[in-house]
């Protein structure tokens, strides 16, 4: 039996100590890193059409039974007053104290059958509540490829088409006009003689479709897409470019889940395998794990919160909603400071922490300190390079008084002291000046991400 998260934290002495020195590696997308080069692949979803393979890096939790919807309503901040079959939504859960556990995409596949897809943090919480509460539900988990038993295939293939030519490519694939479908609406198509389910999606503001079906049919669908896509300049996108796509849409993929303290969490940590705890990286350091917690409002999820039903953490979240909120922004790093940090690698003395391209995260949860006027004003999350904007940016949650575009802030890069994580080499901290910009950074993405 695998060690529990509770036991692992007890051995380390604290959650912060365990996470900061965790031996797990940063997130890996177990698909081809680059088909051509990540710069051209990033451009494809802005200029032509991109094919991204989502089959291997996400986890599916299939939830079925008479109480499936009630479980989701009890654990989700979203409204379920109307959630028909063939619809999807961004599902968001908080703990009893109203702090964010995580988010994922929830598909309503058929009556009493749902598929919760994404990072495993929020999936684990929903399954725990379902298994330990009074719910008539069953669960089937299809873990991501890195966590799945060797030699076992995924249950579903999942492909994403994104870019200005995505609609034309879809119409060629199905041999007919694509019916109007709202954002996060679902439709069923026939492609290459097999039935394919589709989610109307968007990335960086571009039109897009997420296609999925039984794994055994995946190769056939992929071949059909590639053959039809030639005239539309279809580009195969590898793991490097795909892992950075969220920087354009301003989605923070893995905020630290608020599972390490509070009501019911000792039982949850005893249930949770230690292998799913992840690692904590960055210049923000506190002995209190609660200082790393976020509310949904810190990440711009306020539009998804609905106080039209009872759910875990509702009263506490109402209090957070009434308090002053941080604002999600993009921080555009100053080129001179970025260059100086990289230049230190070829200069005498201890260099700065290596900054990888296109994604610079070196832990599952990246949390860097952001200051202005000599005081802490927030934290920076994911960071990396956007070819389409020729900018190195990070997504951040900062105090509203400093969130005005054009505001100058300072991000501290690197750890002090250096942690023992595998991705951390000996280095010194450096300061990176940055300018606050909207999130999403791309004007096209801001104006079009949920259009249509």
């Amino acid at each position: 039996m695998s060690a529990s998260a509770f036991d692992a934290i007890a051995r380390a002495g604290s959650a912060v100590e365990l996470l900061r020195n965790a031996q797990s590696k940063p997130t890996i997308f177990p698909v081809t890193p680059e088909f051509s080069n990540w710069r051209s692949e990033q451009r494809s979803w802005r200029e032509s059409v991109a094919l991204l393979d989502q089959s291997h890096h996400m986890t599916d939790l299939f939830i079925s039974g008479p109480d499936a919807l009630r479980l989701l309503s009890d654990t989700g901040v979203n409204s379920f007053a109307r959630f028909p079959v063939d619809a999807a939504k961004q599902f968001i859960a908080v703990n009893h104290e109203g702090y964010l556990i995580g988010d994922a995409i929830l598909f309503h596949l058929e009556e009493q059958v749902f598929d919760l897809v994404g990072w495993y943090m929020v999936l684990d919480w929903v399954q725990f509540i379902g298994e330990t509460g009074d719910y008539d539900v069953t669960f089937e988990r299809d873990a991501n490829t890195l966590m799945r038993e060797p030699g076992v295939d995924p249950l579903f293939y999942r492909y994403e088409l994104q870019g200005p030519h995505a609609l034309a490519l879809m119409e060629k694939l199905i041999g007919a006009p694509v019916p109007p479908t709202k954002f996060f609406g679902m439709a069923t198509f026939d492609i290459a003689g097999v039935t394919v389910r589709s989610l109307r999606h968007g990335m960086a503001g571009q039109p897009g479709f997420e296609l999925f079906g039984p794994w055994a049919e995946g190769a056939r669908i992929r071949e059909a897409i590639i053959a039809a896509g030639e005239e539309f300049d279809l580009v195969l996108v590898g793991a490097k470019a795909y892992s950075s796509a969220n920087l354009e849409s301003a989605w923070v993929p893995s905020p630290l889940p608020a599972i390490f303290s509070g009501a019911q969490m000792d039982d949850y940590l005893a249930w949770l395998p230690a292998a799913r705890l992840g690692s904590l990286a960055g210049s923000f350091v506190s002995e209190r794990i609660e200082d790393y917690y976020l509310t949904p409002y810190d990440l711009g999820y306020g539009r998804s919160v609905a106080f039209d039903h009872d759910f875990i953490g509702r009263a506490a979240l109402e209090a957070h909603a009434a308090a002053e909120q941080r604002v999600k922004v993009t921080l555009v790093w100053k080129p001179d400071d970025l260059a100086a940090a990289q230049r230190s690698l070829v200069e005498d003395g201890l260099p700065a922490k290596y900054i990888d391209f296109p994604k610079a995260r070196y832990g599952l949860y990246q949390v860097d300190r952001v200051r202005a006027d000599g005081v802490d004003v927030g934290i920076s999350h994911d960071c990396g390079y956007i070819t389409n904007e020729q900018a190195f940016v990070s997504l951040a949650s900062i105090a509203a008084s400093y969130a005005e575009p054009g505001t100058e802030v300072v991000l501290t890069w690197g750890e002090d002291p250096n942690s023992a994580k595998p991705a951390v080499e000996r280095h010194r901290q450096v300061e990176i000046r940055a300018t606050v910009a909207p999130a999403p950074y791309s004007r096209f993405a801001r104006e079009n991400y949920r259009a249509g």
Side-chain angles (χ1 to χ4, degrees):
M1 183 176 178
S2 60
S4 74
F6 184 90
D7 290 340
I9 292 169
R11 285 195 299 271
S14 72
V16 172
E17 182 68 19
L18 177 65
L19 295 172
R20 288 200 71 82
N21 294 290
Q23 293 305 291
S24 57
K25 294 181 180 180
T27 304
I28 298 172
F29 284 39
V31 295
T32 302
E34 295 172 288
F35 288 95
S36 53
N37 66 84
W38 59 260
R39 283 81 59 199
S40 298
E41 291 171 16
Q42 279 190 345
R43 289 193 182 98
S44 67
W45 57 69
R46 188 80 70 88
E47 298 175 356
S48 58
V49 58
L51 171 59
L52 308 99
D53 188 349
Q54 299 179 322
S55 308
H56 296 282
H57 72 280
M58 296 189 295
T59 296
D60 287 70
L61 182 66
F62 297 95
I63 309 167
S64 58
D67 291 335
L69 184 60
R70 180 168 69 88
L71 170 63
L72 292 163
S73 179
D74 288 351
T75 51
V77 306
N78 315 77
S79 175
F80 289 90
R82 185 179 181 277
F83 188 43
V85 172
D86 282 339
K89 66 175 63 188
Q90 182 185 23
F91 175 88
I92 299 163
V94 299
N95 69 5
H96 289 271
E97 290 72 39
Y99 292 105
L100 185 72
I101 290 178
D103 69 294
I105 303 303
L106 178 64
F107 294 80
H108 194 171
L109 299 179
E110 54 187 272
E111 290 296 336
Q112 301 185 0
V113 179
F114 301 85
D115 184 11
L116 193 56
V117 183
W119 289 105
Y120 52 82
M121 300 79 161
V122 70
L123 279 61
D124 288 335
W125 173 248
V126 172
Q127 185 171 354
F128 166 75
I129 296 299
E131 290 183 353
T132 59
D134 182 22
Y135 297 95
D136 183 3
V137 293
T138 58
F139 297 100
E140 182 179 8
R141 179 181 289 257
D142 186 23
N144 68 49
T145 295
L146 293 177
M147 294 182 170
R148 192 181 300 114
E149 291 293 326
V152 177
D153 291 330
L155 294 177
F156 280 172
Y157 70 82
R158 198 176 294 276
Y159 303 134
E160 189 164 349
L161 293 174
Q162 295 288 341
H165 299 169
L167 180 60
L169 173 53
M170 276 296 296
E171 292 186 337
K172 181 176 181 179
L173 284 166
I174 66 175
V178 173
T181 308
K182 292 183 178 180
F183 186 84
F184 268 30
M186 294 169 63
T188 300
F189 301 117
D190 184 274
I191 298 175
V194 299
T195 300
V196 176
R197 302 190 78 170
S198 167
L199 173 69
R200 172 66 176 88
H201 198 3
M203 185 178 72
Q206 296 294 345
F209 302 87
E210 184 174 311
L211 309 176
F212 62 98
W215 174 257
E217 299 170 354
R220 184 174 182 176
I221 298 302
R222 185 176 186 274
E223 290 170 3
I225 292 171
I226 292 173
E230 186 174 353
E231 71 172 279
F232 301 105
D233 298 323
L234 176 74
V235 174
L236 303 182
V237 173
K240 285 189 173 183
Y242 188 16
S243 70
S244 64
N246 68 293
L247 297 170
E248 292 195 48
S249 62
W251 174 62
V252 178
S254 55
L256 187 141
I259 61 174
F260 300 96
S261 60
Q264 209 172 356
M265 288 308 173
D266 281 353
D267 290 340
Y268 177 55
L269 292 171
W271 176 93
L272 184 70
R276 293 213 284 269
L277 283 177
S279 59
L280 174 60
S283 59
F284 179 82
V285 177
S286 173
E287 295 182 359
R288 296 183 68 254
I289 191 66
E290 292 83 4
D291 290 341
Y292 295 87
Y293 291 174
L294 301 165
T295 73
Y297 303 102
D298 293 331
L299 296 182
Y301 293 159
R303 55 178 166 71
S304 297
V305 176
F307 296 116
D308 62 351
H309 65 298
D310 289 327
F311 56 86
I312 291 173
R314 172 179 169 168
L317 192 57
E318 287 181 313
H320 290 310
E324 185 175 348
Q325 308 294 339
R326 285 176 173 176
V327 178
K328 182 173 70 171
V329 299
T330 302
L331 303 182
V332 183
W333 293 24
K334 294 289 187 180
D336 287 349
D337 293 356
L338 174 64
Q342 294 294 67
R343 191 175 64 241
S344 71
L345 298 173
V346 293
E347 296 176 331
D348 292 337
L350 189 64
K353 176 75 184 76
Y354 177 66
I355 302 174
D356 203 2
F357 278 62
K359 201 67 170 290
R361 182 171 62 187
Y362 55 95
L364 182 56
Y365 316 120
Q366 186 76 32
V367 187
D368 287 307
R369 185 183 185 192
V370 178
R371 292 177 297 125
D373 300 327
V375 299
D376 287 277
V377 298
I379 58 174
S380 168
H381 311 289
D382 259 21
C383 51
Y385 183 73
I386 304 176
T387 300
N388 291 310
E389 302 291 342
Q390 291 189 234
F392 197 96
V393 308
S394 58
L395 304 176
S397 301
I398 64 175
S401 55
Y402 291 90
E404 185 68 24
T407 303
E408 299 290 324
V409 298
V410 177
L411 181 149
T412 303
W413 178 253
E415 296 181 338
D416 185 16
N418 297 168
S419 68
K421 289 186 292 294
V424 175
E425 73 281 14
R426 289 181 61 247
H427 67 272
R428 61 182 170 88
Q429 285 187 330
V430 296
E431 292 189 343
I432 305 287
R433 293 170 297 164
T435 303
V436 173
Y441 180 50
S442 160
R443 178 178 178 181
F444 190 93
R446 289 198 307 275
E447 295 178 353
N448 295 277
Y449 184 55
R450 289 179 173 268

